[in-house]
Amino acid sequence: GSGGIGAAVADALAAAGASLTIHGRDPSRLARKADSLRAARGQVDTIQADLSDGQPPDILVQAARDSDLLVVAYGPFVHKPLARTTAADWRLVSLACLALPGIIATEAAAAMAARGFGRILLFGGTRTDTIRGFLANAAYASAKTGLGVLVKSLAAEYGASGVSAALMCPGLVDTEYLDEAARTRLQAVSPRGRLIAPEAIAGLALSMLCGSMDLSNGAILTADEGLYSF
């Protein structure tokens, strides 16, 4: 929740009146984001941790169990052709982009089901809404595509207990993680010649978390303005 799409979703939820627990890796950046949210809107707790090993700390798992809404907008990006993708790269994305959300969502769903209510929104990658081939990020895309199985399994197992889950696969979003060269390159392939604002993705996420997810339980949503190649 301290940067990128996650920060935009945190802003949208706070504006809607939610009490938040946000995670971030960098302590100073996390503190600045929390102070901003508190100054504008109210209750915010923080969890600082490096999650790249795919193992969430107990405090993060407990926060997920205690929450009515869970958003996982996390996953280190590996941009390499397969010929240069190392064993370490595969371990990183498999653990951080698939196993980590799986652990957190599994714990949260069981606790939500016991209370009779919960909504879980996971974020996939661009064009990972179905099985595709990728020239430069196959490892990352493989892990993110697997999240579709996870949300459909959560819906199947816990839907009758009042728990809803969905996966959102955003398009080319303009976040602080892009340099100018990347922005120029991505704008050139964007359907509308510009990148998507994080606030637009957050608005759709808020709609899902505020109730639309119940009807579309288990859904995989594309939010890419019709992107057809990447």
Side-chain angles (χ1 to χ4, degrees):
S2 62
I5 292 172
V9 175
D11 286 334
L13 283 167
S19 296
L20 301 177
T21 298
I22 62 170
H23 159 265
R25 182 179 63 180
D26 181 83
S28 59
R29 184 174 187 171
L30 179 62
R32 287 194 300 271
K33 183 62 182 178
D35 288 344
S36 173
L37 289 166
R38 291 187 190 112
R41 300 169 186 104
Q43 177 64 37
V44 182
D45 294 320
T46 62
I47 297 172
Q48 186 274 321
D50 183 348
L51 303 180
S52 59
D53 64 356
Q55 181 58 53
D58 291 344
I59 189 174
L60 181 57
V61 173
Q62 190 58 54
R65 292 190 190 115
D66 292 342
S67 298
D68 291 324
L69 309 176
L70 171 67
V71 179
V72 183
Y74 174 80
F77 185 62
V78 172
H79 190 263
K80 296 178 180 179
L82 280 171
R84 293 197 292 109
T85 302
T86 66
D89 293 328
W90 276 106
R91 283 191 292 269
L92 172 67
V93 295
S94 297
L95 292 173
C97 296
L98 180 57
L100 176 79
I103 293 167
I104 297 171
T106 297
E107 294 285 347
M112 290 171 174
R115 298 192 298 269
F117 176 82
R119 293 175 184 145
I120 298 170
L121 179 62
L122 307 182
F123 275 87
T126 301
R127 291 179 59 76
T128 63
D129 54 311
T130 190
I131 296 173
R132 290 187 170 92
F134 291 82
L135 290 175
N137 61 323
Y140 171 84
S142 296
K144 287 291 192 177
T145 302
L147 293 176
V149 176
L150 175 58
V151 298
K152 289 187 178 295
S153 300
L154 290 167
E157 187 164 347
Y158 293 108
S161 300
V163 180
S164 299
L167 176 68
M168 187 182 300
C169 297
L172 306 177
V173 181
D174 190 5
T175 72
E176 68 272 26
Y177 303 121
L178 299 178
D179 58 28
E180 286 308 310
R183 283 191 175 90
T184 300
R185 176 175 59 85
L186 296 176
Q187 283 172 348
V189 298
S190 179
R192 297 182 179 176
R194 51 137 176 89
L195 301 182
I196 300 169
E199 293 78 13
I201 299 296
L204 181 56
L206 183 64
S207 174
M208 296 294 292
L209 293 164
C210 287
S212 298
M213 192 187 300
D214 294 344
L215 182 61
S216 55
N217 195 10
I220 301 174
L221 295 88
T222 56
D224 63 9
E225 296 183 328
L227 182 69
Y228 56 88
S229 65
F230 172 59

